[in-house]
Amino acid sequence: MSNRGRITRECEFLNRKRNVFEGIIDNRSFFQNIRGDLLVSGERAGDQEMILNLVESCMEKADMPIILLSGHLGVFTELQRRRTQDAFSNVRIASPSEKTYHPFLGMSKQQIQRFVSLAAEKMGIGVLIGKVMIYTAALLDIVAAKYPVSLPAMAGLLQEDDDVISEVAMECGLSNVVVDNIRSNHEAGIVLRRICGKLEEVFEEVYTPGSDTGYSFATGIRDHGRLFAFYTASRDYQILNTCLKEELYNCLKQGTRLRVILDEMIFENEEDELLRYLLREKMQGRIELMFLAQNPVKWLPEAADLAFANVVMF
């Protein structure tokens, strides 16, 4: 007997014990009435109309902010169309046709330094990494003295040469240590400029270099946004997913419970940092997770990972 057959038989057995009877329900009504986490698997898990019904049903509940992470471009096109027709409001979209995302906005110095280190490792930068991190720390101090810290703020300042950057540090009243760490690490500055270019490529589907939109998950929640839809295609899923994990972390720090919809996300492996973080926060009740994948066992190989309150199999 197939896995599906065994699961179906077990469900039928348990349903008989609980006096639950079979019936037919459309997916919109089902999504409107369920409570708790949701796992959708099988061939129809990527059906665009079903995904949109799920999103709209969640929005109608109006009980918590929703973050949609999806690689289906058609979903974003339809969300934009429905928003234009005033089918819903307070929706923010980051997609190739609406590049509103502001990378690293609101993140700490330590969080951003980690992304620099990850990118440097992938670029094969070894010997200079220590000096690059010293230069990065100094640059972030200068950026923080003038602007909200973010990737476009860093990249914008790095368009200047090191003499100008060190002059900005002195104008901001920063210590001589910061100034010296810029002036004495010219080669590291060149490498950091390359790293920032790499990081901008990670977000090229949702971000226009140099654009200060002020849009991040956390700012969306502070502005009482109902839905933040993020297109997840990228050249580097490890860096992207790590960034998304930090975005969610910053949201949860505000004390807000989140509903996260994962629509056929791509993970590096089952130990992907974003995936593990979502499952951990789901278990702690801080995130209501809705996981849609044709083959979820690829990412959720352990039985404990499949513990969802609601399960749909196609």
Side-chain angles (χ1 to χ4, degrees):
M1 183 180 291
S2 66
N3 286 337
R4 182 188 178 93
R6 282 193 291 269
I7 293 170
T8 301
R9 186 177 66 179
E10 184 66 16
C11 287
E12 290 172 347
F13 172 73
L14 293 172
N15 285 341
R16 284 195 299 271
K17 289 181 65 174
R18 295 180 297 175
N19 293 319
V20 176
F21 300 95
E22 290 186 4
I24 297 174
I25 187 172
D26 63 272
N27 59 46
R28 188 173 182 83
S29 299
F30 175 76
F31 294 144
Q32 287 173 334
N33 285 283
I34 64 170
R35 295 293 182 269
D37 306 304
L38 170 67
L39 174 64
V40 181
S41 67
E43 187 176 351
R44 287 188 54 205
D47 180 79
Q48 177 176 303
E49 191 61 31
M50 183 190 69
I51 295 165
L52 291 164
N53 283 338
L54 172 60
V55 171
E56 290 190 345
S57 297
C58 291
M59 292 180 69
E60 288 169 4
K61 294 177 183 178
D63 54 350
M64 67 184 84
I66 304 162
I67 294 175
L68 168 65
L69 304 177
S70 173
H72 285 124
L73 194 56
V75 170
F76 293 86
T77 303
E78 183 61 19
L79 284 173
Q80 289 167 323
R81 187 187 69 81
R82 296 186 187 187
R83 184 183 58 186
T84 302
Q85 295 178 343
D86 294 326
F88 42 65
S89 58
N90 292 335
V91 172
R92 290 183 172 178
I93 295 172
S95 69
S97 61
E98 197 169 335
K99 296 186 176 184
T100 61
Y101 183 56
H102 195 146
F104 304 167
L105 180 64
M107 292 194 183
S108 69
K109 180 177 175 179
Q110 290 72 28
Q111 286 173 311
I112 295 174
Q113 285 175 309
R114 185 173 175 222
F115 294 126
V116 170
S117 179
L118 269 174
E121 181 181 343
K122 286 177 169 286
M123 294 168 68
I125 296 166
V127 177
L128 276 176
I129 189 61
K131 291 185 177 181
V132 169
M133 299 314 295
I134 290 171
Y135 188 102
T136 301
L139 184 81
L140 288 171
D141 286 340
I142 300 168
V143 170
K146 289 183 67 69
Y147 318 101
V149 177
S150 67
L151 179 58
M154 291 173 61
L157 189 55
L158 285 171
Q159 290 180 2
E160 307 292 345
D161 62 34
D162 288 348
D163 288 337
V164 173
I165 294 174
S166 58
E167 287 173 8
V168 173
M170 290 187 287
E171 290 170 4
C172 292
L174 296 175
S175 70
N176 289 334
V177 174
V178 173
V179 174
D180 290 343
N181 284 342
I182 295 294
R183 287 182 172 174
S184 63
N185 285 296
H186 177 69
E187 192 175 358
I190 294 173
V191 173
L192 181 60
R193 288 168 174 85
R194 288 173 48 214
I195 291 172
C196 280
K198 160 77 172 175
L199 290 170
E200 289 189 316
E201 288 178 353
V202 172
F203 304 102
E204 62 186 354
E205 297 288 352
V206 293
Y207 157 70
T208 300
S211 177
D212 294 328
T213 63
Y215 284 4
S216 68
F217 294 177
T219 60
I221 289 172
R222 283 198 298 270
D223 294 342
H224 306 291
R226 297 169 64 197
L227 170 68
F228 197 113
F230 188 99
Y231 182 60
T232 56
S234 177
R235 296 191 189 195
D236 192 309
Y237 285 101
Q238 182 186 9
I239 294 177
L240 175 69
N241 289 357
T242 302
C243 178
L244 293 175
K245 177 258 181 181
E246 296 297 338
E247 283 275 10
L248 294 171
Y249 172 80
N250 287 348
C251 291
L252 293 176
K253 278 199 308 184
Q254 299 181 31
T256 304
R257 191 163 183 253
L258 299 175
R259 179 175 289 117
V260 180
I261 303 174
L262 296 184
D263 169 29
E264 283 291 358
M265 279 284 293
I266 295 178
F267 301 106
E268 288 282 297
N269 50 53
E270 61 268 22
E271 296 303 320
D272 182 276
E273 190 167 331
L274 171 63
L275 177 61
R276 288 294 114 194
Y277 180 76
L278 286 168
L279 293 173
R280 184 169 66 250
E281 296 303 319
K282 175 179 82 73
M283 291 295 293
Q284 294 178 359
R286 301 177 69 196
I287 282 177
E288 184 176 284
L289 181 61
M290 300 194 162
F291 195 108
L292 290 77
Q294 292 189 355
N295 181 22
V297 178
K298 178 179 180 181
W299 309 120
L300 307 173
E302 300 298 326
D305 295 338
L306 296 168
F308 284 75
N310 303 279
V311 178
V312 177
M313 294 184 300
F314 291 112

